[in-house]
């Protein structure tokens, strides 16, 4: 038996999950005033959690459309003695399942696109800042109907889509939730120092600005432009730090440029400060719980969640504060960090069947050296990395830039290589990897042949990437989930091979993550193709060797894929 379970809880501006789940559950105004349970033909129930027939759910599979919310609320109520201990056999997230199935994550959008069911969130939206006991009888009835509809929606989605959600993906979904709840160990003292340093940077930056002495209006384009003109200077069309026009303007106007740079520093320090404050507010017992969306992107990769994106932490220090290094192993513990080297390049070559360089990589050769030798660009006896590092850098540029059908002009603009050299490199890459070039064309050709239908790219793991309602009217396009809804986007051979390669690489990486967990390693963080493991300091050598072994073994469904990895031991996460 499976049961859709949905909790309704009080929320307002201050009592909100956006301030961190633990803070929300501990807030004085937190109140889980209603739970809805839907078990299909068995029974449906809605009311206060303390009155729910939990004994009927022994051994049931629990379903919620946001398990990372409903399950902690449920366990919080158990710990508070409000409801009895329950004995679910499993607890799955139908939002995760919907994402895997190629639909937007929200229940509203999932029901619309999977089952053709329309729902409204108006009732829930109207509950902001309102206690349940303030509602009249009719409002309580409307809320109960809404809540039961949510629970039923979970159950109906599960009934339709769950057979296509493999067990290993379900396991990964649960592992993602566990990892986020457990969180990462952090250095609270270092975080506080960083906040102080950034506060000083913000103060110093504002002090440079002639038109204000406070945050309000400090970054106003209107005030900036007026000040420039008062100095007899015409301001650039934007204030953006990375705008080439802005950079040239600063060089041409060094004195006024100092003021513009101060606005950049203020914006950057403010942004980083918010991250540190968010981190600091969510620390409990020396650990930072965080959010991460399983299957957050169309390719299946993770994406950030809950107001603090661990996928986008800046590398190195900025303005005297280093966010990554605040993730620090506790006493007697250490961090082991491992990634899959050149995973996208290896996966693209494997999909295309570029056997020569794959075989050299299987013998343990560095990927870029294997590619250089396969291209007949290096025939030396020593390792390319030491004998000709400049050539290796060139091969890296070619591999990263050309594998997704990039043009010479685009390659030049991204890498900084002269246009003529860029064109030569693109032509060389394509001539030396004909099977990959052929695969580009095949993917686009197949999609063009799927007009009016759903185009699917099959992956080695067994899953498929779905591109719904293919059209050619305004160029090749299809609908995929993006920004919380189905969006029509344009596609061509470059985006298709990039999607397929990244999806394949994601599946390989996630398979290895689960292998690490099964071997007993405590995975505390995933960042793109990198995994962070926390272990005992006195067991670091043995653990490192085992992690290296596991990360170097390809999954069963692509045994011939050569993987490369390394394992770094560190006290602080600085990679």
């Amino acid at each position: 038996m499976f049961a859709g379970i949905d909790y309704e809880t009080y929320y307002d501006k201050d009592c909100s999950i956006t301030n961190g789940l633990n803070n929300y559950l501990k807030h004085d105004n937190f109140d889980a005033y209603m739970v809805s349970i839907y078990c299909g033909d068995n029974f449906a129930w809605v009311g206060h959690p303390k009155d729910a027939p939990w004994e009927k759910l022994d051994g049931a599979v629990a379903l919620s459309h946001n398990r990372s919310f409903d399950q902690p609320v449920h366990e919080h109520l158990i710990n508070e003695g409000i409801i009895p201990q329950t004995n679910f056999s499993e607890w799955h997230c139908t939002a995760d399942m919907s994402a895997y199935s190629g639909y937007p994550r929200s229940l509203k959008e999932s029901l619309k696109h999977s089952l053709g069911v329309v729902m409204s969130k108006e009732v829930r939206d109207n509950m902001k800042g309102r206690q349940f006991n303030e509602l009249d009888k009719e409002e309580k009835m409307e809320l109960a109907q809404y809540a039961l509809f949510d629970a039923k929606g979970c159950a109906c989605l599960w009934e339709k889509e769950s057979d296509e959600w493999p067990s290993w993906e379900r396991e990964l979904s649960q592992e993602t939730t566990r990892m986020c709840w457990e969180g990462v160990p952090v250095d609270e003292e270092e975080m506080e120092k960083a906040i102080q340093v950034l506060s000083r940077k913000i103060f110093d930056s504002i002090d440079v600005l002639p038109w204000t002495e406070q945050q309000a209006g400090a970054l106003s384009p209107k005030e900036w432009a007026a000040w420039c003109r008062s100095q007899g200077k015409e301001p650039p069309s934007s204030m953006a730090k990375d705008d080439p026009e802005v950079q040239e303007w600063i060089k041409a106007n060094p004195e006024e440029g100092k003021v513009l740079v101060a606005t950049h520093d203020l914006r950057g320090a403010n942004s980083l400060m918010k991250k540190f404050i968010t981190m600091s507010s969510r620390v409990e017992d020396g650990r930072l719980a965080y959010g991460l969306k399983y299957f957050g992107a169309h390719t299946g990769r993770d994406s950030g969640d809950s107001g603090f994106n661990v996928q986008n932490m800046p590398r190195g220090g900025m303005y005297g504060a280093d966010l990554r290094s605040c993730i620090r192993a506790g006493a007697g513990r250490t961090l082991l960090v491992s990634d899959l080297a050149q995973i996208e390049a290896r996966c693209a070559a494997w999909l295309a069947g570029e056997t020569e360089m794959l075989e050299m990589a299987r013998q343990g050769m560095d990927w870029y050296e294997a590619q250089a030798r396969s291209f007949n660009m290096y025939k030396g006896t020593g390792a390319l990395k030491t004998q000709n590092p400049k050539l290796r850098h060139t091969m890296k540029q070619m591999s990263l830039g050309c594998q997704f059908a990039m043009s010479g002009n685009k390659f030049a603009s991204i890498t900084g290589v002269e246009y003529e050299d860029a064109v030569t490199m693109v032509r060389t890459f394509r001539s030396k990897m004909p099977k990959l070039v052929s695969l580009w064309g095949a993917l686009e050709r197949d999609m063009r042949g799927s007009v009016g239908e759903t185009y699917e790219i099959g992956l080695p793991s067994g899953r498929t990437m779905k591109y719904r309602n293919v059209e050619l009217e305004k160029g090749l396009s299809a609908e995929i989930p993006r920004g919380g809804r189905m969006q029509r986007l344009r596609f061509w051979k470059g985006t298709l091979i990039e999607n397929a390669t990244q999806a394949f690489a994601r599946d390989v990486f996630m398979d290895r993550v689960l292998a690490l967990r099964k071997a007993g390693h405590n995975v505390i963080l995933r960042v793109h193709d990198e995994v962070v493991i926390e272990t005992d300091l006195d067991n670091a050598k043995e653990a490192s060797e085992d992690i290296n072994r596991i990360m170097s073994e390809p999954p069963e469904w692509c045994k011939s894929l050569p993987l490369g990895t390394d394992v770094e031991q560190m006290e602080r996460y600085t990679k």
Side-chain angles (χ1 to χ4, degrees):
M1 179 175 72
F2 55 84
I5 298 175
D6 179 70
Y7 277 97
E8 300 299 326
T9 60
Y10 174 81
Y11 73 105
D12 59 30
K13 182 180 179 181
D14 297 318
C15 180
S16 170
I17 194 171
T18 58
N19 297 321
L21 180 58
N22 288 334
N23 291 335
Y24 180 50
L25 295 176
K26 291 178 179 179
H27 197 282
D28 291 341
N29 291 335
F30 174 79
D31 179 26
Y33 54 79
M34 182 177 289
V35 66
S36 54
I37 304 169
Y38 184 84
C39 296
D41 295 335
N42 292 297
F43 75 94
W45 189 93
V46 62
H48 195 281
K50 66 181 175 58
D51 302 319
W54 297 113
E55 70 282 356
K56 290 186 177 182
L57 299 181
D58 269 5
V61 174
L63 309 170
S64 294
H65 204 71
N66 185 3
R67 180 189 55 217
S68 61
F69 172 76
D70 290 285
Q71 189 174 356
V73 169
H74 185 81
E75 293 177 356
H76 174 75
L77 296 182
I78 292 174
N79 293 334
E80 292 294 310
I82 297 172
I83 64 174
Q85 182 68 46
T86 50
N87 298 300
F88 300 128
S89 60
E90 298 173 334
W91 197 321
H92 290 297
C93 181
T94 52
D96 284 357
M97 180 189 69
S98 294
Y100 177 86
S101 301
Y103 300 116
R105 298 184 68 87
S106 74
L107 183 59
K108 179 181 178 179
E109 292 293 316
S110 295
L111 289 174
K112 175 183 175 181
H113 294 287
S114 175
L115 299 173
V117 174
V118 177
M119 72 174 293
S120 170
K121 302 293 287 185
E122 183 179 358
V123 173
R124 175 61 178 165
D125 293 341
N126 290 339
M127 285 301 297
K128 184 175 182 179
R130 301 187 72 193
Q131 296 284 358
F132 181 71
N133 57 17
E134 298 173 0
L135 307 182
D136 60 33
K137 185 176 180 180
E138 184 178 341
E139 288 176 317
K140 289 179 179 178
M141 183 62 69
E142 287 181 352
L143 184 59
Q145 291 173 343
Y146 163 82
L148 193 57
F149 187 93
D150 273 15
K152 182 178 179 180
C154 291
C156 291
L157 281 172
W158 181 261
E159 195 166 26
K160 182 176 185 292
E161 304 288 349
S162 62
D163 286 346
E164 300 301 317
W165 196 24
S167 59
W168 82 273
E169 289 281 1
R170 299 183 192 188
E171 185 181 350
L172 181 61
S173 163
Q174 293 174 321
E175 162 60 17
T176 302
T177 303
R178 176 213 63 81
M179 179 180 69
C180 293
W181 287 350
E182 180 178 311
V184 293
V186 292
D187 186 337
E188 294 181 79
E189 184 178 339
E190 193 65 25
M191 289 164 61
E192 183 57 38
K193 287 180 182 177
I195 290 172
Q196 293 174 8
V197 168
L198 291 169
S199 296
R200 170 53 62 182
K201 183 63 179 179
I202 289 169
F203 177 84
D204 290 344
S205 298
I206 293 174
D207 194 45
V208 176
L209 308 182
W211 59 86
T212 186
E213 294 181 355
Q214 55 189 2
Q215 284 268 19
L219 297 174
S220 166
K222 183 178 179 180
E223 295 288 351
W224 153 249
W227 178 79
C228 277
R229 293 184 178 113
S230 75
Q231 304 301 303
K233 304 286 185 178
E234 186 62 25
S237 58
S238 85
M239 296 173 69
K241 180 179 180 179
D242 297 328
D243 188 328
E245 180 192 350
V246 168
Q247 294 170 6
E248 289 301 317
W249 192 93
I250 291 172
K251 291 178 182 177
N253 304 276
E255 288 305 311
E256 294 80 8
K258 291 177 183 177
V259 176
L260 186 51
V261 168
T263 68
H264 298 158
D265 290 344
L266 177 58
R267 191 182 304 276
N270 268 326
S271 176
L272 191 55
M273 169 82 100
K274 289 177 182 177
K275 290 183 172 67
F276 273 104
I277 290 174
T278 298
M279 285 177 69
S280 183
S281 69
R282 298 182 182 183
V283 175
E284 186 171 348
D285 297 328
R287 299 191 78 88
L288 171 69
Y290 59 93
L292 193 68
K293 288 180 182 175
Y294 157 89
F295 225 94
H298 176 58
T299 58
R301 287 186 164 182
D302 297 325
S303 66
D305 194 19
S306 303
F308 177 65
N309 188 357
V310 296
Q311 301 288 292
N312 193 31
M313 293 186 290
R315 293 181 181 273
M318 295 175 63
Y319 311 111
D322 188 344
L323 190 146
R324 282 187 176 228
S325 70
C326 288
I327 298 175
R328 178 187 183 184
R333 306 281 280 171
T334 191
L335 304 179
L336 298 175
V337 184
S338 176
D339 68 355
L340 293 177
Q342 308 97 30
I343 184 60
E344 289 187 9
R346 294 167 187 261
C347 285
W350 193 92
L351 287 172
E354 298 283 3
T355 56
E356 184 179 355
M357 65 188 69
L358 289 167
E359 182 56 36
M360 283 188 273
R362 271 191 286 274
Q363 303 305 315
M365 187 178 293
D366 169 73
W367 179 257
Y368 301 124
E369 180 177 340
Q371 206 160 44
R373 290 184 183 277
S374 177
F375 288 10
N376 289 319
M377 294 174 68
Y378 181 66
K379 299 180 181 180
T381 56
L384 178 64
K385 191 172 185 177
T386 55
Q387 296 297 314
N388 194 339
K390 184 177 180 180
L391 175 58
R392 186 180 184 277
H393 178 69
T394 298
M395 299 309 302
K396 182 176 181 178
Q397 286 182 310
M398 289 175 66
S399 182
L400 296 177
C402 301
Q403 63 188 354
F404 299 143
M406 189 179 290
S407 68
N409 188 50
K410 182 80 171 183
F411 185 75
S413 67
I414 289 178
T415 62
V417 173
E418 292 295 329
Y419 173 72
E420 292 77 9
D421 293 334
V423 170
T424 299
M425 291 168 75
V426 167
R427 287 175 177 169
T428 299
F429 184 90
R430 295 184 180 186
S431 69
K432 298 297 184 179
M433 298 196 71
K435 293 180 180 179
L436 179 58
V437 173
S438 178
L439 179 58
W440 299 344
L443 289 171
E444 183 171 326
R445 210 164 37 247
D446 291 348
M447 188 173 185
R448 288 181 177 276
S450 302
V451 172
E453 302 173 350
T454 294
Y455 173 57
E456 296 185 348
I457 297 178
L459 298 169
S461 64
R463 76 174 169 109
T464 58
M465 298 182 69
K466 297 177 175 63
Y467 301 79
R468 292 185 165 87
N469 302 317
V470 176
E471 290 184 1
L472 286 175
E473 186 176 348
K474 296 181 180 179
L476 182 61
S477 69
E479 295 178 350
I480 64 169
R482 178 73 64 87
R485 60 189 178 87
M486 295 299 288
Q487 292 191 38
R488 179 163 294 281
L489 300 177
R490 298 280 294 272
F491 293 94
W492 69 297
K493 60 187 179 183
T495 51
L496 293 175
I497 186 61
E498 182 176 24
N499 283 182
T501 299
Q502 290 183 349
F504 179 24
R506 173 267 183 195
D507 289 353
V508 172
F509 175 71
M510 295 304 184
D511 179 274
R512 296 296 82 201
V513 167
L514 290 180
L516 289 169
R517 286 293 295 155
K518 289 173 183 175
H521 297 290
N522 184 24
V523 177
I524 61 170
L525 184 63
R526 304 194 302 253
V527 181
H528 306 304
D529 302 317
E530 183 174 273
V531 63
V532 182
I533 291 165
E534 184 181 20
T535 192
D536 289 335
L537 189 58
D538 57 10
N539 188 49
K541 185 176 184 297
E542 293 80 0
S544 180
E545 291 172 352
D546 194 48
I547 292 165
N548 187 78
R549 176 188 62 79
I550 292 170
M551 293 293 282
S552 299
E553 287 181 1
E556 287 295 324
W557 33 265
C558 58
K559 291 297 287 184
S560 61
L561 174 69
L563 296 182
T565 189
D566 63 355
V567 181
E568 291 187 43
Q569 181 180 344
M570 54 189 71
E571 179 188 4
R572 297 178 182 272
Y573 179 48
T574 55
K575 191 171 180 183

